[in-house]
Amino acid sequence: MKKVTLKIASGYDSENITLRDEISIGRTPLADVVLEDPGLSRVNTTIFRDGSDILIVDEGSTNGTFINGERVGSSPKILFDGDVITCGTETEIRVDIGEKSVFDDEIIEAEPRRRKPKKPVKSSNITPTVKHYTPDIEIDQEEKPIILWVAAGSTALILFLAIIGVVVVSYFEGNGGKEIAKDGQKPIGNRNVAIPIFVIDPLGGQKQEELDELIQYWEVQEKEIKVEDMQEIKTDTSSTTPETKETGLNLNVSLNFWQEQYNRSRENYYGAEFAGLIKPRALCCGVPKQTAKIREMQQEGYKLPMDFADLARKRMAGELIELPMATDYWVLDVGGSSNEKPFTSFEFKTGSTTAPPGSNDYNTLAQLAANFSGTRYDMNNPKHRRQMKIRLLRMFHPRALPILQRLSKAYHAKFDRPLRITSLSRSMEYQIGLNKINPNSFKVRGAGALPPHTSGCAFDLSRKFQNKDEQNFMANMLVEMENEKILDGLREGNANACFHVFIYDDGQPPAGFNAKNFIDSVTPKSYWLAVLRY
């Protein structure tokens, strides 16, 4: 029997797997191969042998399974050498069917798999004994009637219990499925209403994999920016700006240099094995520590930016500084989801409304446009508006700069390529806008929400295209700096695979928050209690 190798690449992971019998792929431990791809279903796809054929079947996944771009239906499809399978958001599997496998002799007695009906056994005076290929047991043909009777009985019992369940539910949920309040007056709610996918009640007793899934999706992925989206900055380096005065940063970067650094940060390093990839406990468990710090900042007078006008105010006040779009040590992949539309004002009560000329928000943006660190923009020019938005998204807290420089210079010295930064500061309005393009992300649902990037203290360093050694190096550096109590780090998975870094605006962790005790106490139930508490 021919050897079949599945070459799997998903996000930052890559591995080669030899197909022996059957293998399933998904995003939870229910699958044989678990991948950090948010577009995969719990068990998404199964690949299996059927005699000399190699077949694939989609397990009813939400986003489907495709062979060379053609969607696989509910029936198994035969795979051939060189086929490319895609599924989820970013998973690609290449099929390599080679020569005779070294384990041929182990399965020469194997019958066709269960996914195809078995051929009828010809009658004979001798009752054949056919051994099924299973790892631990053997089943004689003569035992099949007993097994069938047991299966039939089990099915009948399940149906009986299901009928009882329906009767009981109907009894307690009369009045069209509405639950009656204790006083017998008005209905509490209708339980027949369909629940949308990915809507999870934090205290609803979900399975561990559902909680893990929700925890890793609190972050939102931007669209990747392209060179044609940007313009070179012609800044007067002699002018006094927060960047030149305090940091010496030079914002004048050519698009050619940005493209070169961007390409280097995305070189495909999938060749390395990912066995031994570390996931430090210190880089887990969500953002309660960060939201505790943001609340401290608010108590001391910090105002979360609601819109681009608020970001402009923070820039002109020197609260936030702009980063060059590329240096020897980093390259920015930020602002790809911005647009050319007129600037808007945002409040939770009214939502987004166009900022009319003469309004406070419009005047603030017009003041910045007249002298954006030596560059002048026209507020009536759509392309200029987008450039302003992109630059306002390139900002973060001045105290974050030395931390970024320490990380990026160490990484560059070790691996001779730049870190790719995928997120810096955001307004609440921009964060909500990103919610609309990422259905799996943590939603901003009210004025009490505290997305870390609205603090100006957070930035994301992409893990995509980093091999095992690079990721382990960065993880160890972040743990070391977290132990120094200068930042809080997270290792995020899914499509936005990154190291999320949150620095402390005053150089101090949140008072009264014991990170070690929090991490040690995390369980599926206590996690959400801690999140709600902090």
Side-chain angles (χ1 to χ4, degrees):
M1 189 168 291
K2 292 185 177 181
K3 180 177 181 180
V4 178
T5 303
L6 305 176
K7 299 180 178 180
I8 303 175
S10 181
Y12 66 95
D13 276 332
S14 177
E15 58 183 319
N16 295 338
I17 295 177
T18 299
L19 178 68
R20 299 180 66 87
D21 183 32
E22 175 180 302
I23 194 167
S24 58
I25 297 162
R27 60 172 171 78
T28 71
L30 297 174
D32 299 319
V33 177
V34 181
L35 301 173
E36 292 185 358
D37 182 343
L40 293 174
S41 295
R42 288 178 174 81
V43 179
N44 197 98
T45 307
T46 299
I47 300 172
F48 60 97
R49 291 181 181 270
D50 188 350
S52 60
D53 290 334
I54 310 302
L55 298 118
I56 183 172
V57 66
D58 182 82
E59 301 288 1
S61 67
T62 301
N63 296 320
T65 302
F66 299 82
I67 305 174
N68 303 322
E70 182 178 348
R71 185 160 188 159
V72 177
S74 57
S75 301
K77 299 292 184 182
I78 296 178
L79 291 173
F80 299 95
D81 182 43
D83 279 347
V84 177
I85 304 161
T86 54
C87 51
T89 302
E90 53 185 355
T91 298
E92 180 179 282
I93 306 168
R94 293 184 178 273
V95 181
D96 184 357
I97 302 178
E99 300 302 320
K100 182 177 178 180
S101 172
V102 293
F103 56 87
D104 264 10
D105 294 338
E106 300 176 17
I107 54 176
I108 53 177
E109 297 290 339
E111 282 191 351
R113 299 295 296 170
R114 64 183 181 277
R115 301 182 186 275
K116 282 189 174 181
K118 295 180 181 179
K119 296 178 181 180
V121 179
K122 296 180 180 180
S123 60
S124 173
N125 295 330
I126 303 175
T127 302
T129 299
V130 180
K131 292 183 179 180
H132 295 247
Y133 176 67
T134 57
D136 300 312
I137 60 173
E138 295 179 357
I139 303 175
D140 289 344
Q141 191 76 17
E142 293 173 333
E143 296 178 5
K144 287 184 178 178
I146 299 175
I147 294 175
L148 292 175
W149 280 110
V150 172
S154 300
T155 302
L157 179 60
I158 292 171
L159 291 173
F160 177 70
L161 294 175
I163 293 171
I164 292 178
V166 171
V167 173
V168 171
V169 171
S170 298
Y171 177 78
F172 286 104
E173 293 188 357
N175 193 24
K178 295 180 180 179
E179 183 179 341
I180 302 300
K182 291 183 180 180
D183 58 8
Q185 298 300 316
K186 65 178 182 178
I188 295 176
N190 191 333
R191 296 189 179 184
N192 290 332
V193 177
I195 300 176
I197 296 175
F198 290 114
V199 174
I200 299 179
D201 176 8
L203 301 179
Q206 278 72 33
K207 297 178 182 179
Q208 177 63 51
E209 61 266 18
E210 292 175 320
L211 294 176
D212 289 342
E213 175 188 24
L214 185 60
I215 290 168
Q216 70 175 345
Y217 289 145
W218 68 269
E219 181 54 275
V220 190
Q221 182 186 22
E222 280 203 77
K223 294 179 181 177
E224 294 180 356
I225 199 164
K226 300 178 181 179
V227 68
E228 54 265 29
D229 297 331
M230 302 186 296
Q231 293 178 359
E232 291 184 359
I233 298 172
K234 303 297 183 182
T235 297
D236 180 5
T237 55
S238 64
S239 64
T240 300
T241 68
E243 292 77 19
T244 57
K245 181 179 179 181
E246 302 296 335
T247 67
L249 294 174
N250 183 3
L251 300 178
N252 295 330
V253 178
S254 72
L255 292 180
N256 287 338
F257 180 67
W258 177 87
Q259 186 70 72
E260 177 186 339
Q261 293 295 82
Y262 183 77
N263 292 342
R264 290 185 64 199
S265 74
R266 291 170 53 86
E267 290 173 356
N268 194 326
Y269 276 32
Y270 283 149
E273 291 295 329
F274 281 83
L277 189 65
I278 64 172
K279 300 180 181 180
R281 183 74 165 158
L283 303 183
C284 82
C285 307
V287 296
K289 187 176 181 181
Q290 300 177 23
T291 54
K293 188 61 185 180
I294 298 173
R295 285 196 178 94
E296 278 189 11
M297 294 170 63
Q298 288 181 310
Q299 292 170 2
E300 296 169 1
Y302 180 81
K303 294 183 179 179
L304 296 178
M306 293 291 109
D307 44 41
F308 280 108
D310 282 344
L311 288 175
R313 293 185 183 98
K314 291 184 178 297
R315 179 192 175 87
M316 291 188 290
E319 290 183 42
L320 301 176
I321 61 172
E322 181 181 358
L323 289 183
M325 59 181 173
T327 69
D328 289 337
Y329 311 111
W330 72 72
V331 61
L332 302 187
D333 188 0
V334 174
S337 297
S338 60
N339 57 51
E340 298 180 349
K341 295 179 181 179
F343 285 102
T344 54
S345 300
F346 175 79
E347 293 181 8
F348 278 101
K349 291 183 180 180
T350 59
S352 296
T353 56
T354 300
S359 66
N360 288 336
D361 285 349
Y362 186 92
N363 289 342
T364 296
L365 290 161
Q367 181 183 348
L368 179 62
N371 184 9
F372 204 132
S373 296
T375 300
R376 183 179 182 85
Y377 293 102
D378 180 0
M379 291 273 286
N380 296 316
N381 186 319
K383 294 187 181 299
H384 285 201
R385 288 196 295 262
R386 187 176 189 194
Q387 293 311 305
M388 289 183 64
K389 293 176 182 179
I390 291 174
R391 291 185 63 180
L392 287 170
L393 294 168
R394 291 175 181 167
M395 304 187 302
F396 68 174
H397 195 282
R399 191 181 285 271
L401 180 59
I403 292 175
L404 171 61
Q405 289 174 329
R406 176 176 166 182
L407 289 165
S408 61
K409 288 182 178 181
Y411 176 82
H412 182 268
K414 181 77 173 177
F415 301 104
D416 192 31
R417 64 179 189 148
L419 284 173
R420 185 162 66 101
I421 302 173
T422 55
S423 183
L424 289 161
S425 293
R426 296 171 181 165
S427 67
M428 195 73 75
E429 180 185 35
Y430 193 75
Q431 180 90 4
I432 293 171
L434 292 179
N435 289 159
K436 298 176 182 179
I437 64 174
N438 186 344
N440 297 321
S441 66
F442 179 80
K443 302 297 186 294
V444 176
R445 297 194 184 280
L450 300 174
H453 288 283
T454 59
S455 68
C457 295
F459 58 92
D460 292 345
L461 305 174
S462 177
R463 291 192 295 117
K464 291 183 180 180
F465 306 102
Q466 289 186 352
N467 63 25
K468 176 193 67 176
D469 294 336
E470 291 174 290
Q471 293 190 48
N472 288 350
F473 177 82
M474 292 301 301
N476 285 327
M477 278 203 70
L478 289 172
V479 171
E480 175 186 335
M481 297 171 76
E482 187 159 331
N483 290 336
E484 295 174 18
K485 298 182 178 180
I486 60 176
L487 59 80
D488 182 56
L490 293 176
R491 182 186 182 278
E492 293 188 43
N494 68 59
N496 191 41
C498 69
F499 291 110
H500 170 82
V501 182
F502 181 91
I503 65 99
Y504 305 127
D505 67 313
D506 57 0
Q508 298 294 325
F513 189 98
N514 190 314
K516 184 178 185 303
N517 288 348
F518 172 74
I519 292 173
D520 291 344
S521 67
V522 167
T523 65
K525 292 182 180 179
S526 69
Y527 174 84
W528 283 109
L529 295 176
V531 169
L532 295 175
R533 177 182 176 187
Y534 289 105

